[in-house]
Amino acid sequence: MAEGTGSHRAGLGALLRDKAPFLRWSTIRFALGGRTVLRTGQVGDGREEAVRRHVLNTATAGDPDSVLAAIDDFARTRSILMNVGDEKGLLLDAAVRRANPLLALELGAYCGYSAVRTGRLLPPRGRLVSVESSIANAAIATEVIAHAGLSDRVVVVAGKIGDGGVTMRRLAVDHGFAAGAVDFVFLDHLKTAYLPDLLTLLTVNWLRPGAIVVADNVRIPGAPRYLRYMRAHEGTTWRTVEHRTHVEYQSLLHDLVLESEYLG
């Protein structure tokens, strides 16, 4: 009987993780901390610092795939995280391989997961600059990236595109961003900033024709203005593939990832 009860509990735990993660306390805590997330970039229960420790304690130094596996394990078994995750991460991987970028830009580093995914696939001489609005998250992401052995090609900049030009100047002066220089962009920050930040990049002509822009969470929590913009400009300025997938670390809630090629 005890063995059967244990199996039942294990099965229920797997169901909560994979089918109904919104019933997990870490997800409920995330929802309750929505205002904190918007203000600080963190949930407010220490999970970001906890995942940093988890990576340093369990992942093999210098092995990006080991770092990714450690973060995925943490998100599935301990606390939900605001990163692209393993399922949608495969879409990101494929887009990076197609772009083969010498200069890539990420908006929204969080704890460094997608920066590690992208950085490990860069070609020789390729570089990724990840812009993160939270100073605390930027520090965590930098340490995670270093543990993955990618500090020579991935750098995190604390700031945001919509800060009156401060971060844009840093990108231009310190990191070589210029007209036609950007081959790849990953959007995974504040969803209402997707479209204005992309339009800012277009205004300064940083994207080369053929550059690829990937946007996560277009359905949940949603970036409706960005989606309408891409659909309205399909075949003229952009050519977009809409990938129907799932919200990270579960298989019940559906999400949308947009992969858009800039036509110039």
Side-chain angles (χ1 to χ4, degrees):
M1 181 66 70
E3 182 178 352
T5 301
S7 299
H8 175 74
R9 288 175 178 172
L12 180 59
L15 176 65
L16 290 177
R17 286 194 304 271
D18 299 333
K19 292 291 187 181
F22 41 81
L23 297 179
R24 292 170 54 188
W25 169 244
S26 71
T27 307
I28 296 170
R29 178 65 183 82
F30 169 76
L32 294 175
R35 290 185 179 179
T36 302
V37 171
L38 291 175
R39 187 177 70 254
T40 69
Q42 296 190 343
V43 176
D45 60 0
R47 70 183 67 190
E48 293 81 13
E49 172 59 21
V51 76
R52 181 196 69 82
R53 294 194 303 268
H54 182 70
V55 167
L56 268 57
N57 291 335
T58 66
T60 303
D63 184 345
D65 289 318
S66 177
V67 168
L68 294 175
I71 297 174
D72 287 333
D73 172 71
F74 183 95
R76 286 193 178 279
T77 62
R78 294 180 58 179
S79 296
I80 290 291
L81 297 170
M82 297 184 293
N83 48 243
V84 68
D86 46 4
E87 179 186 351
K88 292 187 289 185
L90 296 177
L91 298 173
L92 177 61
D93 290 353
V96 173
R97 290 189 176 101
R98 277 190 287 274
N100 199 33
L102 289 178
L103 182 59
L105 174 66
E106 174 180 77
L107 302 184
Y110 191 45
C111 296
Y113 179 89
S114 52
V116 171
R117 286 203 82 107
T118 301
R120 83 197 204 287
L121 299 175
L122 292 175
R125 299 186 301 111
R127 296 181 296 121
L128 168 66
V129 179
S130 181
V131 176
E132 169 57 45
S133 61
S134 163
I135 294 175
N137 286 344
I140 290 170
T142 296
E143 196 165 352
V144 167
I145 290 163
H147 193 74
L150 296 174
S151 295
D152 61 332
R153 65 186 72 179
V154 180
V155 63
V156 181
V157 172
K160 55 185 177 180
I161 298 301
D163 61 5
V166 175
T167 298
M168 293 288 286
R169 284 191 292 272
R170 288 183 63 193
L171 294 178
V173 173
D174 297 339
H175 301 285
F177 283 73
V182 178
D183 304 302
F184 183 83
V185 180
F186 180 49
L187 304 176
D188 197 16
H189 58 319
L190 184 66
K191 311 313 166 190
T192 56
Y194 278 18
L195 183 56
D197 286 357
L198 179 65
L199 294 178
T200 296
L201 299 179
L202 293 177
T203 298
V204 295
N205 298 312
W206 280 0
L207 300 186
R208 69 163 179 83
I212 292 176
V213 179
V214 174
D216 189 20
N217 300 126
V218 175
R219 179 174 179 179
I220 296 178
R225 291 181 60 211
Y226 182 88
L227 179 60
R228 286 196 298 270
Y229 167 83
M230 284 301 178
R231 287 176 173 174
H233 291 82
E234 174 64 23
T236 54
T237 309
W238 299 93
R239 182 179 295 113
T240 296
V241 177
E242 298 184 7
H243 297 283
R244 301 188 184 280
T245 180
H246 298 95
V247 173
E248 43 270 27
Y249 303 115
Q250 55 82 53
S251 58
L252 183 63
L253 300 177
H254 293 274
D255 200 359
L256 193 63
V257 171
L258 264 56
E259 179 183 343
S260 305
E261 179 187 356
Y262 180 51
L263 302 179

